[in-house]
Amino acid sequence: MNSARNSILGRLRTASGKEALPAENFAVVAPRGWSAEQRLDRMRRMMEAVHTEFLDSRGEDWLGQLQGWLARENIPGLIYAPATPLGRRLSTGWSGSVPLIAYDRAMAEWKEDFFGQAAAGITGTRGGIAETGSLIVWTDADEPRSLSLVPPVHVAVLEVNRLYDTFWQAMREQKWAAGMPTNLLLISGPSKTADIEQTLAYGVHGPKRLLVVLVDGE
Amino acid sequence: MPAADFRAAAGPALADPQLRANFRRAMDGLMSKRAAVFADRDEWTALRSLGATIRARSLLQLPDLLERLEAKLTENGVKVHWAETIEQGNAIFKQILSGHDARRLVKGKSMVSEEMGLNHALEAEGIEVVEADLGEYIIQLDHEKPSHIIMPAIHKNKQQIARLFSQKIKDAAYTEDVDHLTGLARRVLRQKFAEADAGVSGVNVAVAETGTLVLVENEGNGRMCTTIPKLHIAVMGLEKVVERLEEVPPVLSLLTRSATAQPITTYVNMISGPRRPGEKDGPQELHLVILDNGRSRVFADPQLRNTLRCIRCGACMNHCPVYTRVGGHAYPGVYPGPIGKILTPQILGMETAGDLPHASSLCNACVEVCPVEIPIASLLVRLRSEAIRPRRQADSGPGVVRGAGSQRDAAETWTWRGWALAYRVPLLYRLTSFLLSRFGWALPQRLPLLKEWTTVRSRPQFAPQTLHELARREKVSNE
Ligand code: SF4
């Protein structure tokens, strides 16, 4: 439909003038000057307000704590991405009773099982955004998109020294514009809806529960 | 189906106490929550001014940005299509889908696809289209159109939804428990996601710099539609583009806070291409359809162009006294409320939607809350005058609104001409006011203008003496 393209752009060009562009002032989305403690505090508050659960494993053996949590919650298995740095730590350090299941093939090859039987999935994060309480999830060949979407429980590991004040700050400091992944996500809680009479209900299509494991940074 | 006539549809809507109660409750809640998230006035003013500037800059560079977006997306492996009309848009969809032999579609919320009547067009080809957003799913089950651009099923209460589900979903018992109802929809739709041949989504913001399509949502259905099926087709109006990635955070902050008072939605889904080699999931093919459907014509007029700044947050309808009372279904087209009153007449034309700009008291509530500073009230006034623009002028010029002049009415035109003349000629003024004060009562009820005026108002009573006569009698000098 090249003719459609050309006539649309042609009409837009005819109507476009040579006006100067007004200047933008980003101060209102710039870093807030929060301390590390304030950031973490805000992060938790914002996320807990929308039903996110936290496992504070700073200074602890987080693998052991996570195993304990999964066992307590009767979660029968945890799907993980074996080739990520997080995945390597999991496969070497895992010992509990809850089995680890590797997401090591294309989704199409195990779609039915994945949809039918997945109980929980674990992903890493590229930090978080304190202002809005959001996790940055960067997907790629090693970290599948659906791992944080299809299983009813999503476990996300967050290094506490990778928190930013604002969304704008995070994308600039991490230089997102220089190379975006196919799918970059901000996740700010478990899936929810208010489409029935404005009443909040959690776990509509995506995960019903979101657990954030707070760990010390490297 | 969309009512063709706002005036006719508004009557029954106003007389429906259930509908009015549903809207009143919902809008009151939305307004007070929004006020709370923008409580810091300085922050609101600064953020809003940034949002308005970003959108204004986007429009100032629109053709360039669209070309850059296309180039960047193509580089990222996305196939870009252009549609001047909704027929072209639907044809592009059909062509892509038939190329993949795709028969089952899951769809995220997209107002542009509603504008295109996409579901209808595809279903006519025997393709199954399942709306996956819970609100959209509800109204699809009931064969309705959305009554709100953010909360499509807001006109229904939970009893109505409970009844609907128990009738339409297999093995569903009647329950008013919202968690249970949500669970029912989850069960049905999960199966659909897993089986779908293709996913369809809208776009909230498209970034020219990186070739990124940004989608916001709370449910995860949008992520399902854009992640699970092997084919993803996104569709957007041509105004959705912004220049740089760093412009996304302020726009989203304004969007989600204005829409539902959330600091951010559960998911911000930034898509910059189909599955790359080695990736385990994500669509193998990604298409973007860019729709014009009258927008480039809107763009041609420097004042009306501001309509295209809109980020579809819905705040204007949440605060609109007319929308709150008549609900979304009374409006022709798919965009209700103030944004619909300025957009629909320009897209559908004045012949079809020329009465919409009048469905406003110009109270300015929408203008005060619009996060991108669209001067909605001035645009309504402008469109009112476009509707009665003399035919001679109406036919020419790219900027002139479609169907301009179609609401022009000889009786009205001559009455106003007479009015203007009387105000210019003192003798004529005195004569007219004298005659009206003495014989105005005798004007027949069926007289044009008087007839329309008195359909919903009582007939004006003329004073027995004119103001000038009274002033003379009271010896007011200064005349
Ligand atoms: S006109 Fe303004 S308030 Fe209304 S939907 Fe668009 S951006 Fe929101």
Side-chain angles (χ1 to χ4, degrees):
Chain A
M1 295 262 174
N2 244 336
S3 65
R5 175 187 187 275
N6 295 341
S7 51
I8 294 170
L9 288 173
R11 273 198 298 277
L12 296 178
R13 286 214 186 284
T14 314
S16 292
K18 288 259 173 292
E19 264 174 86
L21 298 178
E24 294 168 319
N25 179 355
F26 286 92
V28 65
V29 291
R32 305 290 186 222
W34 291 327
S35 68
E37 203 178 323
Q38 283 173 316
R39 271 196 291 276
L40 182 58
D41 184 62
R42 170 138 187 150
M43 182 83 188
R44 277 194 77 142
R45 215 163 16 89
M46 295 303 288
M47 293 196 81
E48 279 169 349
V50 287
H51 284 210
T52 305
E53 298 160 76
F54 277 84
L55 192 61
D56 191 348
S57 301
R58 284 175 293 163
E60 308 275 343
D61 156 33
W62 70 266
L63 280 173
Q65 290 205 335
L66 176 60
Q67 284 156 6
W69 187 88
L70 293 167
R72 271 200 309 284
E73 301 290 333
N74 290 319
I75 291 170
L78 182 66
I79 306 176
Y80 80 116
T84 60
L86 175 73
R88 285 194 293 275
R89 287 216 45 195
L90 283 164
S91 48
T92 51
W94 198 256
S95 59
S97 55
V98 180
L100 269 187
I101 303 152
Y103 195 144
D104 53 5
R105 64 217 112 142
M107 188 188 59
E109 290 171 37
W110 66 316
K111 198 174 185 180
E112 214 167 302
D113 284 351
F114 184 51
F115 265 77
Q117 284 154 33
I122 185 167
T123 71
T125 60
R126 285 212 179 183
I129 298 162
E131 184 175 55
T132 53
S134 311
L135 304 166
I136 302 166
V137 177
W138 188 283
T139 70
D140 56 23
D142 296 331
E143 183 88 273
R145 309 179 183 199
S146 53
L147 197 45
S148 59
L149 176 65
V150 173
V153 178
H154 174 204
V155 180
V157 179
L158 175 63
E159 289 164 320
V160 291
N161 62 349
R162 300 187 81 181
L163 289 181
Y164 298 86
D165 290 3
T166 67
F167 182 9
W168 187 76
Q169 178 193 16
M171 73 160 56
R172 283 166 62 95
E173 291 185 12
Q174 295 192 353
K175 302 203 175 14
W176 294 0
M180 290 284 276
T182 51
N183 194 198
L184 176 53
L185 298 156
L186 300 186
I187 299 181
S188 305
S191 145
K192 67 171 186 280
T193 183
D195 273 342
I196 302 181
E197 256 192 23
Q198 303 276 286
T199 311
L200 263 181
Y202 283 86
V204 55
H205 296 303
K208 299 179 180 192
R209 297 177 73 180
L210 171 61
L211 175 75
V212 177
V213 184
L214 296 176
V215 302
D216 297 305
E218 300 285 291
Chain B
M1 278 321 284
D5 181 356
F6 179 81
R7 225 174 260 267
L14 283 169
D16 181 343
Q18 179 68 68
L19 187 77
R20 288 186 63 168
N22 293 356
F23 273 98
R24 181 82 265 170
R25 194 186 43 235
M27 298 306 122
D28 283 348
L30 286 164
M31 284 191 287
S32 60
K33 281 194 279 179
R34 178 196 161 278
V37 294
F38 286 124
D40 180 342
R41 299 309 291 175
D42 293 341
E43 196 249 6
W44 157 248
T45 313
L47 187 61
R48 181 189 201 206
S49 138
L50 176 57
T53 307
I54 290 171
R55 292 300 297 138
R57 286 173 60 109
S58 299
L59 295 179
L60 283 170
Q61 320 171 71
L62 189 59
D64 293 335
L65 293 185
L66 285 169
E67 278 191 322
R68 279 175 61 189
L69 176 71
E70 180 188 40
K72 197 68 201 179
L73 283 169
T74 309
E75 189 186 313
N76 294 353
V78 180
K79 300 203 168 82
V80 179
H81 309 260
W82 302 75
E84 281 193 272
T85 61
I86 58 179
E87 290 76 20
Q88 280 179 14
N90 288 330
I92 293 169
F93 266 87
K94 286 180 204 165
Q95 198 193 335
I96 302 170
L97 292 169
S98 75
H100 287 77
D101 200 22
R103 315 297 304 164
R104 289 167 304 183
L105 242 68
V106 282
K107 191 158 161 279
K109 224 182 98 48
S110 150
M111 288 308 295
V112 173
S113 72
E114 298 279 351
E115 185 182 325
M116 290 163 57
L118 179 67
N119 294 7
H120 196 71
L122 296 180
E123 279 160 1
E125 305 284 306
I127 297 169
E128 179 195 66
V129 185
V130 178
E131 291 286 351
D133 170 84
L134 182 59
E136 291 280 350
Y137 176 70
I138 292 168
I139 58 168
Q140 189 183 34
L141 282 181
D142 219 4
H143 308 289
E144 288 183 307
K145 71 163 188 166
S147 58
H148 190 284
I149 62 171
I150 303 288
M151 287 146 290
I154 202 155
H155 56 288
K156 284 190 168 355
N157 62 18
K158 70 175 174 233
Q159 289 77 18
Q160 293 167 320
I161 295 167
R163 219 172 305 127
L164 182 68
F165 276 22
S166 68
Q167 287 160 4
K168 298 279 171 88
I169 299 179
K170 205 163 144 262
D171 306 330
Y174 182 91
T175 169
E176 290 176 14
D177 180 77
V178 172
D179 283 316
H180 196 90
L181 290 169
T182 307
L184 274 173
R186 178 183 174 101
R187 193 191 72 204
V188 175
L189 291 168
R190 278 241 149 186
Q191 191 64 30
K192 298 288 181 191
F193 291 130
E195 291 169 357
D197 302 315
V200 175
S201 77
V203 175
N204 292 102
V205 187
V207 185
E209 177 185 26
T210 52
T212 301
L213 308 178
V214 184
L215 275 84
V216 297
E217 56 148 346
N218 287 316
E219 298 186 359
N221 67 297
R223 285 188 65 198
M224 287 282 186
C225 294
T226 60
T227 303
I228 307 300
K230 58 184 192 299
L231 169 66
H232 168 204
I233 311 175
V235 55
M236 68 173 214
L238 55 73
E239 77 280 19
K240 288 284 179 199
V241 65
V242 301
E243 183 187 0
R244 300 184 319 284
L245 194 64
E246 69 167 332
E247 294 174 324
V248 170
V251 170
L252 292 193
S253 179
L254 286 166
L255 172 60
T256 64
R257 288 157 86 189
S258 299
T260 52
Q262 290 175 272
I264 197 165
T265 46
T266 302
Y267 302 111
V268 175
N269 185 0
M270 289 167 269
I271 300 168
S272 305
R275 182 191 304 201
R276 286 183 194 150
E279 292 186 350
K280 299 181 180 64
D281 54 11
Q284 268 135 357
E285 233 181 271
L286 174 50
H287 297 256
L288 174 69
V289 180
I290 301 175
L291 178 73
D292 181 343
N293 193 28
R295 288 166 173 79
S296 56
R297 184 171 185 152
V298 176
F299 183 81
D301 184 282
Q303 186 190 17
L304 295 171
R305 177 182 298 180
N306 290 317
T307 313
L308 301 178
R309 278 194 207 167
C310 176
I311 56 172
R312 303 283 190 270
C313 71
C316 54
M317 59 201 73
N318 298 346
H319 291 74
C320 179
V322 177
Y323 174 86
T324 303
R325 284 166 180 81
V326 300
H329 285 160
Y331 295 79
V334 293
Y335 304 99
I339 179 60
K341 287 180 232 183
I342 56 174
L343 185 59
T344 305
Q346 300 187 67
I347 289 184
L348 295 183
M350 284 292 173
E351 304 92 335
T352 322
D355 58 352
L356 274 184
H358 294 275
S360 168
S361 63
L362 301 180
C363 72
N364 225 40
C366 50
V367 180
E368 278 166 27
V369 297
C370 177
V372 287
E373 296 177 354
I374 300 177
I376 301 172
S378 324
L379 298 182
L380 286 169
V381 173
R382 166 74 192 279
L383 289 171
R384 287 178 184 184
S385 66
E386 287 296 333
I388 53 155
R389 182 195 268 268
R391 290 258 183 211
R392 261 174 294 110
Q393 302 170 19
D395 297 334
S396 58
V400 178
V401 180
R402 188 172 155 196
S406 60
Q407 307 278 313
R408 199 173 170 82
D409 168 271
E412 194 178 341
T413 310
W414 284 105
T415 308
W416 285 115
R417 279 197 188 151
W419 179 281
L421 189 67
Y423 271 77
R424 281 200 307 270
V425 183
L427 192 65
L428 187 58
Y429 179 87
R430 283 178 197 223
L431 182 67
T432 316
S433 53
F434 176 81
L435 287 174
L436 284 174
S437 64
R438 298 310 188 282
F439 305 108
W441 57 269
L443 288 177
Q445 188 82 12
R446 303 194 41 79
L447 214 61
L449 302 201
L450 190 58
K451 189 174 83 193
E452 282 83 35
W453 180 265
T454 51
T455 48
V456 287
R457 301 175 189 84
S458 40
R459 184 186 166 122
Q461 298 293 322
F462 290 99
Q465 288 185 309
T466 68
L467 187 63
H468 284 102
E469 288 172 306
L470 288 174
R472 259 195 307 278
R473 208 181 63 205
E474 299 291 328
K475 302 206 182 356
V476 179
S477 57
N478 210 12
E479 212 191 330

